[in-house]
Amino acid sequence: MDKATALLRQAQKDAKVFNSMSAATAAVAEQETGPKSWAVMPLSKDSMKEVHSAMEQGSGQMGILLVASKAPVSQLEVLRAMEYGGVYVAAAEMDAAGDVLKEAASFSAGPALVLLAEAAAVKDDEQWTSFRYDPRKEDA
């Protein structure tokens, strides 16, 4: 979690980073514009319930960074976030996170959801695929 938070702070210098969805959601509610407020949380079934709730609100100031540190790593629920429309969604290995996090931080038209996985968690996982879905590129 600390490594992911540090990568996020490198990607977005003015990032507001919280370790719970409720704290990030409260920070978003207090601001109408400005940089994203990020919830950095471990990937779990419980965290995905909170993610879907936040995605429904659709705030451009909301960023969610999920960290997978052990196998198996399921991308299915992360992929489902694209169904909300206007959501930046990506999955990457921790060591390749810089550009993904910069792109996610720059997405202001809606929330951003990024799944970062430790290399060891996806090492032998044939189903793991890094991806980026940026709605700005859909309209082009």
Side-chain angles (χ1 to χ4, degrees):
M1 298 287 283
D2 291 339
K3 183 176 180 180
T5 299
L7 289 168
L8 179 57
R9 289 187 189 281
Q10 288 175 358
Q12 183 184 342
K13 303 291 186 221
D14 57 353
K16 297 176 183 175
V17 181
F18 303 92
N19 61 3
S20 72
M21 186 67 73
S22 59
T25 302
V28 167
E30 292 177 5
Q31 68 184 41
E32 291 188 27
T33 60
K36 288 193 180 300
S37 292
W38 289 87
V40 179
M41 307 182 313
L43 176 65
S44 70
K45 289 181 182 179
D46 290 336
S47 65
M48 287 311 304
K49 290 176 186 174
E50 292 182 88
V51 166
H52 287 297
S53 177
M55 292 295 109
E56 288 173 358
Q57 294 175 11
S59 172
Q61 280 73 46
M62 174 60 79
I64 302 164
L65 178 55
L66 297 174
V67 180
S69 57
K70 60 184 178 179
V73 178
S74 174
Q75 295 174 285
L76 182 60
E77 290 296 317
V78 175
L79 287 166
R80 285 192 57 221
M82 291 188 290
E83 296 173 359
Y84 292 100
V87 178
Y88 178 94
V89 183
E93 286 188 39
M94 190 81 66
D95 295 337
D99 289 341
V100 171
L101 291 172
K102 286 178 186 173
E103 195 173 74
S106 73
F107 184 70
S108 61
L113 172 60
V114 177
L115 168 62
L116 292 184
E118 294 282 352
V122 295
K123 181 180 177 187
D124 295 323
D125 187 347
E126 294 178 11
Q127 305 253 338
W128 172 262
T129 303
S130 293
F131 70 90
R132 296 181 199 184
Y133 173 72
D134 188 341
R136 296 173 289 198
K137 295 178 181 173
E138 286 290 312
D139 297 334

